[in-house]
Amino acid sequence: MIKAVIFDLDGTIMNSKLLRIEAWKHAFQVYGIELTDEQINPLIGLPGPDLAGRFSPKAFEIEMEEEKYFRAHLERMEMYGDVEDTFRKLEASGIRTGVVTSSRRAMVDILKIPFEPVITIDDVEMGKPDPEPYLKMLDILKIEPEHAMFVGDAETDLIPAREIGSVSVFIGHGKVHFSPNADYYVDEIRETARLVRKINDSGKEKVKKSRSET
């Protein structure tokens, strides 16, 4: 039974992935490093220092430059239109919700994310794909890993979910994707509420069959 659905932030509930890639390219260019979208895209979701450190020893400086550019263009970013309604529906049906992100707390505060709890990279020692942020969220919600569903748009979101035994869901937002770490695929946030009902109804049916067999 699914009792909690936890979402990634960038590219999952926020339409921000293209802006993130643009910001990282700009930050690297400032330090004389030319990267393509294809080089950066698979790394979105990693903690900033880890991403920047893949290409330069000046990881902190590049991360700060990326944050500066990203903040200067926040007017181009918004939540996907079905997010708030989906959170309300999940919570109304007794499903806990939360957000786990590799962004810093200051950025989340600026964005004024209307959901709690939110775990940021500043709240943990190790960011995604390490499972620490997921385990911390589950500890806050008092939910066991096998009763949680994690939704994200990158392998860094799916790997820790599978590692701790939670349900992993890749969200495409129009992109075709295959992942060895995804249990399910959805295209829009609203589909997660239907998926939870499907999984939970399936679980109830199995319990009924088991009881009838005894």
Side-chain angles (χ1 to χ4, degrees), residues 5 7-8 11-14 80-87 90 151-152 171 173 186-194:
V5 182
F7 297 87
D8 170 53
T12 298
I13 64 174
M14 300 293 294
Y80 285 100
D82 55 353
V83 172
E84 293 196 52
D85 183 59
T86 300
F87 270 66
L90 288 169
V151 183
I171 183 161
H173 291 305
V186 297
D187 193 57
E188 299 178 317
I189 290 293
R190 63 170 58 90
E191 295 175 42
T192 59
R194 293 195 291 268

Side-chain angles (χ1 to χ4, degrees), residues 126-144:
M126 299 292 293
K128 295 185 282 186
D130 190 274
E132 183 189 352
Y134 283 17
L135 293 172
K136 184 164 186 173
M137 172 62 75
L138 295 179
D139 184 58
I140 291 172
L141 296 179
K142 306 302 180 187
I143 300 290
E144 294 299 318

Side-chain angles (χ1 to χ4, degrees), residues 204-214:
K204 292 175 184 177
E205 187 62 30
K206 288 180 181 179
V207 170
K208 288 180 181 178
K209 287 184 179 180
S210 176
R211 288 174 178 171
S212 65
E213 290 170 357
T214 59

Side-chain angles (χ1 to χ4, degrees), residues 27-208:
F28 281 115
Q29 285 173 348
V30 169
Y31 286 85
I33 302 170
E34 295 290 336
L35 296 177
T36 66
D37 291 13
E38 290 72 23
Q39 287 174 291
I40 297 174
N41 183 49
L43 304 178
I44 297 296
L46 287 175
D50 293 348
L51 194 159
R54 295 285 183 97
F55 305 100
S56 172
K58 296 184 177 180
F60 177 77
E61 292 86 345
I62 292 174
E63 182 197 8
M64 292 300 99
E65 188 66 38
E66 188 273 341
E67 287 284 302
K68 178 181 175 182
Y69 186 95
F70 192 78
R71 291 187 188 192
H73 296 83
L74 285 181
E75 74 281 354
R76 294 165 47 191
M77 195 174 73
E78 59 186 4
M79 282 196 302
Y80 285 100
D82 55 353
V83 172
E84 293 196 52
D85 183 59
T86 300
F87 270 66
R88 283 195 296 268
K89 286 182 177 178
L90 288 169
E91 290 164 359
S93 63
I95 304 297
R96 304 293 301 277
T97 60
V99 176
V100 172
T101 176
S102 292
S103 294
R104 293 196 177 275
R105 175 64 61 179
M107 178 58 65
V108 171
D109 291 342
I110 291 172
L111 292 173
K112 298 180 179 179
I113 305 299
F115 311 116
E116 288 289 345
V118 178
I119 297 296
T120 75
I121 188 61
D122 293 320
D123 302 316
V124 293
E125 293 293 326
M126 299 292 293
K128 295 185 282 186
D130 190 274
E132 183 189 352
Y134 283 17
L135 293 172
K136 184 164 186 173
M137 172 62 75
L138 295 179
D139 184 58
I140 291 172
L141 296 179
K142 306 302 180 187
I143 300 290
E144 294 299 318
E146 62 267 27
H147 297 304
M149 172 188 289
F150 288 88
V151 183
D153 67 316
E155 295 302 315
T156 50
D157 305 312
L158 307 179
I159 291 171
R162 292 295 296 274
E163 186 174 330
I164 66 175
S166 298
V167 174
S168 59
V169 180
F170 178 84
I171 183 161
H173 291 305
K175 297 177 297 183
V176 177
H177 183 84
F178 170 77
S179 167
N181 298 298
D183 294 314
Y184 297 94
Y185 297 84
V186 297
D187 193 57
E188 299 178 317
I189 290 293
R190 63 170 58 90
E191 295 175 42
T192 59
R194 293 195 291 268
L195 180 57
V196 168
R197 288 197 300 272
K198 179 181 177 180
I199 292 173
N200 286 351
D201 288 345
S202 174
K204 292 175 184 177
E205 187 62 30
K206 288 180 181 179
V207 170
K208 288 180 181 178

